[in-house]
Amino acid sequence: RHLVGVFLLNLGGPESAEDVEPFLYNLFADPDIIRLPPVLTGAQTALAWLIAKRRAPRSRAAYDTIGGGSPITRYTRAQAQLLEDALNEEADDDVRFKCYVAMRYWRPFTDEALDQADEDGVSSAVILPLYPHFSISTTGSSLRALLAEMQASHPRLFAAHTGKIT
């Protein structure tokens, strides 16, 4: 039976007040979010740390107004389950689909989704960005992270898609 992994890419979000600062750090440490001139790229992590420290209190207060954390992971997991159920309902007997949530800046991270897919025996993948539009700082960053992790740590899955990724 052929197992197809469907990777739902999304931003991620802090699930609790304690997650806010590390989430912000991950976000601002991404050079696709803050593009520094080449001479300053070594300062990216320090700048990310400073921004995260300064913004965390205001962001934490904003998340408190919606229950203390972002609902994006919960919603994305629900979408993944509904999609997986629908795909498998329509699939041929020799194909099964398994959906994986791959968040860019918070758990479950892209590498965690790929590790689980590898453990499950996924032999091919469909990548489904859930961003509302293409942008280098959202879809582009998530795709680059997924493909880099796939190539570095999951070469079998990456090789199955060489030349097929658009």
Side-chain angles (χ1 to χ4, degrees):
R1 191 177 257 193
H2 178 67
L3 183 59
V4 178
V6 180
F7 293 89
L8 284 73
L9 305 184
N10 215 329
L11 188 76
E15 297 175 273
S16 70
E18 295 78 35
D19 299 341
V20 171
E21 191 174 314
F23 164 76
L24 291 171
Y25 172 82
N26 292 341
L27 179 71
F28 294 118
D30 182 351
D32 286 327
I33 299 295
I34 297 179
R35 291 179 184 253
L36 297 176
V39 70
L40 296 176
T41 56
Q44 184 88 35
T45 57
L47 182 61
W49 179 84
L50 180 64
I51 294 170
K53 281 279 184 203
R54 291 185 55 111
R55 287 190 64 173
R58 279 182 302 185
S59 294
R60 209 174 280 115
Y63 282 114
D64 283 345
T65 67
I66 59 168
S70 170
I72 196 165
T73 301
R74 187 174 64 250
Y75 292 162
T76 306
R77 285 185 196 277
Q79 288 176 315
Q81 189 60 60
L82 290 168
L83 179 60
E84 183 177 312
D85 293 345
L87 289 170
N88 284 318
E89 189 174 303
E90 299 294 325
D92 293 335
D93 290 341
D94 62 335
V95 176
R96 298 310 306 151
F97 292 90
K98 175 94 169 120
C99 290
Y100 300 91
V101 173
M103 298 296 192
R104 180 68 178 102
Y105 302 111
W106 202 244
R107 298 178 189 100
F109 291 110
T110 301
D111 63 328
E112 297 167 345
L114 283 165
D115 289 346
Q116 186 61 57
D118 197 41
E119 186 177 308
D120 292 343
V122 166
S123 56
S124 63
V126 174
I127 301 169
L128 179 60
L130 297 181
Y131 299 103
H133 63 280
F134 182 83
S135 167
I136 291 299
S137 62
T138 55
T139 307
S141 180
S142 288
L143 286 172
R144 267 193 294 288
L146 178 86
L147 295 175
E149 180 66 27
M150 194 183 278
Q151 187 174 21
S153 301
H154 304 278
R156 179 188 52 78
L157 193 54
F158 184 78
H161 291 81
T162 302
K164 299 177 190 169
I165 299 170
T166 58

